[in-house]
Amino acid sequence: MDLEARVQPDLPEASVRYGASGAVELEFHPHAREGDWTHTLDFVGFARHDASVSARSHADLRELLYSVASRDFELRAGVGRVFWGVTEAAHLVDIVNQDDGLEDLDGEDKLGQGMLSAAWTADWGIWRAFLLPRFRPREFPGPGLLPVPFPIVAEEARFESAQAEQHLDIALRWQDYFGPLDLAVSWFQGTGREPRLVPCAGQGTGRPGTEQAANCDLDSAFATEPNPVGETLVDLGSLLGLTPSREELEDQGREEALKDVVLVPHYDQIEQFGLEAQLVAGNWAFKFEGRRRLQRSEVQHAAAAGFEYTQGAAFDWPVDFGYVLEYLYDDRSSERYIAPLNNDLLLAFRALFSDVAGTQLLAGVIQDLDDRGRIFSVEASRRLGEAYSVAAEMRLYSAIAPNDGLYTLRDTDLLRLTLSRYF
C-alpha cells in the first residue's frame, strides 16, 4: 500500500499542481510441484485513487498468469508483464506491454497484457514465442497533468488494422550467454504500442463530418464555401468602418477553428526487430540496445549504447558507486511521432549504501545534443523498519526547444514522495 504526495508547480491548471493519492497492489504466487513439472499462478492487482485528479484514478490487472514448467520447457497463459532491454534511459526493444500512462509518463509502469507464451531451452539458447490477443490502447492523464495544446480523445482511437483492438500480435525472442556476453534478438509484428496523435475536428463541434465521430480529414472538416457576394459586402463594410476587415475575420475564424481541434491516437501496424547486448568485464558493464522498425512503409532506426562502471566500497565508505554514460539515437521525426530522445546523452550516478535500510540514490541528466534542453532526475529510497519504506523522486525539464518532442512536457516538473507499507 502506497501513500503519495505530488507537487508540479508549473502546471497551467492551479487545481492540480498539488495532489495526494493512495495505491494498493496485491500479489500472490502459489506454486505446486508434480513430478518434473512445476505449476505456478501469478496474481498482481493494482488500483490507485487520486484525490485531486479523478482521471488518474484507475485499476488494472497486472498479472493473472498460469504457468507450467519443466527443466527445458515452460508454457504460460493469462495476463502478464514482460520486460525486454538492458539500457537505463530508454527501453527501445520493450514492446509487449502497453505503458500505464495514468501512473506516470516515464514508461516504467506497464499494463497487463493477455498472452499465451512458450519457452524452451536448448544448447543454442532460450527461445520464447508469444501470442498477444486484445490490444490495450494507451490512456492519458488529461490536460491538467499533460499540458498538450489540444485535448487528447483516447476513446476515439483509430487503428490501421480493421481488427482494431482484436488484432492478434506475435513476438519471438532468442537469448543466450557467451561467457560474459548476454545477447538477445527479438521480433514483433502487430499493433504498435506508441500512438501517433493526429489532429482532428472534434465530434459534435458542428464541423462537417463530426456528427458521429471526430473528423480527421482537416481539409473537409474546416472547408468553407466561396461566397463572392459576402466577401464584397465585408470589403465594403470595412471601408465604411462598419465591420472588421477580411483579414481580421480570417484571424477570428482561425481562433474559433482551433477551439474545435482534438488529438486522436492512431495505432499503426508495425514490424520490429530488436537487439540487446550486455558485456560484463570486471567492474565494467557495456550495454547496447537497438531496433529496426517498419511503420507506415518507412524504415526507422533507434539505438542506445553506453556503459556503467561500479566502484565498490568507494573511498573506504560502506557504499558502492556506479557511473553511467549512454548515448541515445532515434531517426524518427518528432513532428510525426512521439520520439523525444533523437540525439541525446545520459550522464548518471548511482549510490548503493551497505546499510540495513538498503538506501539507494540515482541521479542523472539527459542532455539534448542538438539544443540546450535537459532533463534532470533524482530518485532515492530506503526502508523504515521491517514493514515500511520511503521514496522520493524529482524530475525537471530545462530549456526545452519548441521543435523538441519533449516540448509538451516542459511544464511538468515533478516532486513526488511515497510512503509504502508492506503486509
Side-chain angles (χ1 to χ4, degrees):
M1 181 176 69
D2 293 346
L3 295 177
E4 177 189 286
R6 174 182 49 80
V7 179
Q8 293 183 270
D10 295 329
L11 288 177
E13 294 189 21
S15 59
V16 298
R17 291 174 184 169
Y18 309 93
S21 65
V24 176
E25 186 171 87
L26 302 175
E27 65 176 284
F28 56 85
H29 308 275
H31 64 277
R33 190 164 183 84
E34 185 178 289
D36 293 333
W37 297 89
T38 300
H39 303 264
T40 305
L41 179 65
D42 295 305
F43 171 83
V44 180
F46 176 84
R48 179 177 297 281
H49 174 71
D50 195 302
S52 57
V53 184
S54 60
R56 192 167 176 252
S57 299
H58 65 294
D60 180 51
L61 180 62
R62 302 294 206 212
E63 294 184 15
L64 182 58
L65 201 62
Y66 168 74
S67 62
V68 55
S70 66
R71 192 173 71 89
D72 298 326
F73 180 79
E74 179 186 54
L75 182 66
R76 311 174 81 187
V79 175
R81 290 177 295 181
V82 174
F83 175 77
W84 297 345
V86 295
T87 55
E88 291 284 343
H91 309 306
L92 300 176
V93 303
D94 195 28
I95 190 66
V96 172
N97 293 83
Q98 178 62 275
D99 288 355
D100 187 344
L102 299 181
E103 193 61 17
D104 206 340
L105 299 174
D106 59 5
E108 297 292 337
D109 300 281
K110 300 292 183 177
L111 299 175
Q113 168 66 48
M115 64 178 64
L116 175 65
S117 69
W120 58 99
T121 303
D123 294 337
W124 52 90
I126 302 172
W127 296 80
R128 300 182 187 274
F130 298 84
L131 294 178
L132 306 169
R134 187 151 184 87
F135 172 79
R136 301 191 64 181
R138 186 175 300 187
E139 296 186 51
F140 300 88
L145 293 176
L146 183 61
V148 292
F150 306 107
I152 300 175
V153 189
E155 59 271 19
E156 290 205 35
R158 310 290 172 87
F159 297 84
E160 180 180 347
S161 170
Q163 297 172 303
E165 294 101 323
Q166 305 302 325
H167 187 274
L168 181 64
D169 302 334
I170 305 172
L172 298 172
R173 188 171 187 262
W174 167 83
Q175 180 180 13
D176 205 354
Y177 300 90
F178 302 91
L181 176 64
D182 182 5
L183 195 64
V185 177
S186 58
W187 171 79
F188 171 90
Q189 187 172 61
T191 305
R193 273 44 180 166
E194 301 172 79
R196 291 183 292 113
L197 297 178
V198 179
C200 308
Q203 179 184 0
T205 57
R207 301 287 176 177
T210 62
E211 295 81 6
Q212 303 297 325
N215 184 0
C216 297
D217 182 356
L218 298 183
D219 290 337
S220 66
F222 294 100
T224 57
E225 294 293 333
N227 186 351
V229 175
E231 292 174 359
T232 300
L233 292 176
V234 167
D235 292 338
L236 179 60
S238 177
L239 288 173
L240 296 175
L242 300 176
T243 63
S245 68
R246 190 186 303 184
E247 291 77 11
E248 290 173 329
L249 290 176
E250 289 178 352
D251 291 339
Q252 293 175 10
R254 188 177 298 108
E255 292 179 2
E256 291 298 321
L258 290 176
K259 295 178 182 178
D260 295 336
V261 174
V262 298
L263 297 176
V264 174
H266 192 286
Y267 294 91
D268 299 319
Q269 290 293 295
I270 69 170
E271 183 178 28
Q272 175 176 303
F273 295 90
L275 173 63
E276 307 157 59
Q278 179 169 266
L279 175 66
V280 178
N283 295 341
W284 295 85
F286 299 92
K287 304 178 181 183
F288 174 85
E289 192 172 326
R291 73 178 182 217
R292 180 185 186 274
R293 178 181 290 180
L294 179 63
Q295 181 174 0
R296 303 179 70 202
S297 301
E298 297 177 355
V299 177
Q300 307 162 1
H301 298 90
F307 65 84
E308 179 171 358
Y309 176 77
T310 302
Q311 185 179 10
F315 312 109
D316 293 327
W317 297 347
V319 56
D320 294 341
F321 290 158
Y323 311 94
V324 181
L325 185 147
E326 290 180 358
Y327 172 72
L328 303 113
Y329 170 78
D330 193 326
D331 66 5
R332 294 179 297 172
S333 167
S334 296
E335 298 177 355
R336 301 181 62 188
Y337 300 95
I338 303 176
L341 302 177
N342 299 85
N343 182 29
D344 298 77
L345 192 68
L346 165 70
L347 296 172
F349 167 78
R350 189 196 316 272
L352 302 176
F353 293 81
S354 302
D355 57 358
V356 176
T359 306
Q360 301 183 32
L361 173 69
L362 176 62
V365 57
I366 297 178
Q367 172 67 59
D368 190 325
L369 300 180
D370 294 321
D371 299 293
R372 296 169 51 203
R374 297 183 185 90
I375 309 172
F376 298 94
S377 176
V378 179
E379 299 176 20
S381 65
R382 65 174 293 151
R383 292 191 300 271
L384 301 175
E386 295 294 329
Y388 293 89
S389 69
V390 63
E393 178 184 2
M394 181 180 69
R395 189 163 61 236
L396 304 175
Y397 298 88
S398 173
I400 306 299
N403 62 343
D404 195 310
L406 291 168
Y407 188 68
T408 57
L409 303 179
R410 65 194 183 281
D411 294 326
T412 62
D413 293 350
L414 170 69
L415 174 62
R416 176 162 44 206
L417 301 175
T418 305
L419 177 66
S420 302
R421 171 75 161 92
Y422 304 95
F423 297 92

